[in-house]
Amino acid sequence: MNCHHDFTQQENHHGKNLWITRKGAIKADTGDEGVIPGSMGTRSYIVRGLGNPASYTSCSHGAGRRMSRGQVRRSLSPESLTQAMKGRTWNANRAAALVDEHPKAYKSIDQVMADQKDLVTIQHTLRQIFNYKG
């Protein structure tokens, strides 16, 4: 599986050669496999593309942020991140530095997946047990 995001490539859509830019998106042509991550505290998904021409054979790359990094640092604490990550192995000793990756900073991955059911099918659901941020 070769699944990358934030890239541009030339493709043919609707009978025209176009430069397609996928920012926060992955290619989801018929049969393409991809990874759609949630936050560091939620599920991620292995998907197969449905090739929907309305999306230029694209789908979302992940949950996406609902709070800016600054908003997270002002409104959420390292302690709440530690609580959100309970039951997982992660670099908890760096909670203060990682608070901007708090699961509450991201959109609901379940809603994101429901919203793109016409773009991909879920092949596997991954539940995190270990997370490392370098």
Side-chain angles (χ1 to χ4, degrees):
M1 175 184 329
N2 183 6
C3 176
H4 53 284
H5 68 287
D6 297 348
F7 70 100
T8 298
Q9 69 182 18
Q10 195 170 38
E11 298 175 8
N12 189 289
H13 292 276
H14 312 292
K16 296 179 183 177
N17 289 327
L18 305 169
W19 281 98
I20 303 297
T21 301
R22 291 189 176 93
K23 172 73 175 122
I26 60 174
K27 193 164 185 290
D29 205 351
T30 305
D32 285 351
E33 292 182 317
V35 178
I36 300 179
S39 70
M40 67 186 236
T42 60
R43 291 170 297 291
S44 296
Y45 297 92
I46 305 296
V47 299
R48 189 173 308 277
L50 296 175
N52 189 323
S55 71
Y56 291 85
T57 65
S58 300
C59 72
S60 107
H61 161 63
R65 296 189 77 86
R66 65 179 191 90
M67 298 172 74
S68 72
R69 294 180 188 281
Q71 285 174 309
V72 173
R73 285 190 289 274
R74 287 188 298 275
S75 62
L76 299 172
S77 67
E79 294 78 23
S80 70
L81 174 59
T82 299
Q83 185 62 31
M85 294 299 291
K86 195 171 190 159
R88 295 171 186 87
T89 300
W90 64 294
N91 28 359
N93 62 328
R94 296 188 55 229
L98 295 173
V99 75
D100 59 334
E101 291 294 326
H102 197 298
K104 288 184 178 180
Y106 288 86
K107 297 174 188 168
S108 162
I109 190 64
D110 296 324
Q111 186 63 56
V112 169
M113 296 309 294
D115 289 345
Q116 62 183 352
K117 65 181 179 229
D118 59 334
L119 307 178
V120 294
T121 58
I122 297 171
Q123 302 297 302
H124 303 283
T125 301
L126 308 174
R127 186 182 69 81
Q128 292 183 356
I129 56 171
F130 175 80
N131 184 288
Y132 177 79
K133 291 283 190 184

